Amino acid sequence: MSGNLVLCEIDSGTARLTLNRPERHNSLVPELLEDLLDAIAEVRRDNSVRVVVLAAEGRSFSTGGDLATFHDAEDMAVYGERIVGQLNEAILALLDLPLPVIARIQGPVTGGSLGLVLAADLVVLAEEAFIAPYYVEVGFSPDGGWSALLPERIGHARAAEIQLLNRQVDAEEAGRLGLAHAVVPAGTLDSQVNDWVEILSSKVQGGLHATKARLLAPARRAAIAQALEAERRGFIEQAARPETRAGVARFLGRAV
């Protein structure tokens, strides 16, 4: 078992990694990302695992970085360097898993937590789920693959429009854009996940592993890592600006 902020349950060949900070909408903090990295490493060590399900407790999948912890940090740039670095590690660790990863999304996905979804192989969204960036509202530079992965997935123009206007993408649109492979009523999320688990578990595992390896060829993996590192550097630079600290305070309703 991993730490309390990410639960890791392995049963009958399926590993379920569950973000477990529902009282804060599973917002990302270093401790949660450390637990997630430990859970992914635990899965890699267990040869019985055939499929990974990434899920979350509560109403939200994850609302990205916890802005309260940013606001309270003595140096937001130093804190940002740490947490975005961990997030990039988690994204790459999920991409590097030879096992198929299913993301079960029951609610909002905002900010850098989108990277965890983009790193999955199959994504199912509840009808009430949505995706939104919020970077231009707060003042941060995009992280979590918003510039490193999203334009490749949905096109540069659409990715730019969503982020510059801070536009919310509902589940139906996410499906049309290719960000979700299924959009279902919340009550049938687990049924869809279980259907995929059953199908994937029935396949020749070596074939699944080889397919994932070819889809993430070394040159593409290196390019993704480089783009994520550019996001990290940009985030640090912007987090050091007074306007960003003021933007975080305003967003939280605190004194600037």
Side-chain angles (χ1 to χ4, degrees):
M1 296 295 292
S2 57
N4 291 331
L5 294 181
V6 175
L7 307 178
C8 180
E9 302 168 286
I10 299 174
D11 182 52
S12 302
T14 300
R16 188 180 182 94
L17 311 185
T18 306
L19 308 185
N20 187 37
R21 198 173 180 242
E23 72 285 356
R24 296 291 298 168
H25 296 277
N26 300 305
S27 53
L28 305 178
V29 290
E31 295 80 7
L32 184 149
L33 289 168
E34 182 177 345
D35 281 358
L36 179 57
L37 287 165
D38 287 345
I40 295 170
E42 183 178 341
V43 168
R44 289 193 72 103
R45 290 192 297 268
D46 192 323
N47 292 329
S48 73
V49 178
R50 300 166 73 86
V51 183
V52 178
V53 177
L54 181 62
E57 290 289 348
R59 294 186 293 111
S60 303
F61 177 76
S62 174
T63 53
D66 189 327
L67 291 183
T69 63
F70 272 100
H71 182 271
D72 295 341
E74 182 176 351
D75 188 325
M76 285 207 312
V78 171
Y79 181 79
E81 180 177 14
R82 177 186 181 190
I83 194 169
V84 177
Q86 288 177 306
L87 176 58
N88 288 352
E89 286 184 55
I91 292 168
L92 290 170
L94 288 169
L95 288 171
D96 287 340
L97 275 176
L99 309 163
V101 177
I102 299 169
R104 177 195 183 277
I105 312 300
Q106 82 280 23
V109 178
T110 65
S113 57
L114 179 64
L116 304 178
V117 180
L118 293 173
D121 301 296
L122 293 170
V123 178
V124 56
L125 293 184
E127 291 174 335
E128 58 266 44
F130 66 84
I131 295 165
Y134 285 105
Y135 296 101
V136 297
E137 299 296 325
V138 178
F140 285 127
S141 178
D143 68 336
W146 279 93
S147 65
L149 295 169
L150 187 64
E152 178 187 48
R153 183 75 62 86
I154 68 173
H156 173 86
R158 184 65 70 205
E161 178 255 340
I162 291 167
Q163 293 179 72
L164 293 174
L165 298 178
N166 190 41
R167 187 169 67 75
Q168 183 173 300
V169 177
D170 63 25
E172 182 182 356
E173 183 182 4
R176 292 199 308 269
L177 291 174
L179 295 174
H181 303 90
V183 176
V184 301
T188 64
L189 272 173
D190 289 327
S191 177
Q192 180 62 70
V193 169
N194 292 337
D195 285 348
W196 282 342
V197 168
E198 183 177 353
I199 292 169
L200 292 166
S201 297
S202 72
K203 305 304 179 187
V204 177
Q205 293 302 293
L208 289 176
H209 299 175
T211 299
K212 282 205 66 172
R214 297 292 76 75
L215 288 170
L216 190 67
R220 182 166 182 264
R221 202 271 189 194
I224 291 171
Q226 184 177 17
L228 289 172
E229 172 59 17
E231 285 190 339
R232 188 183 71 90
R233 293 195 303 268
F235 194 97
I236 295 167
E237 180 180 342
Q238 189 63 23
R241 298 180 184 274
E243 68 172 7
T244 305
R245 179 169 286 278
V248 171
R250 282 194 301 271
F251 194 87
L252 292 171
R254 302 186 184 182
V256 177

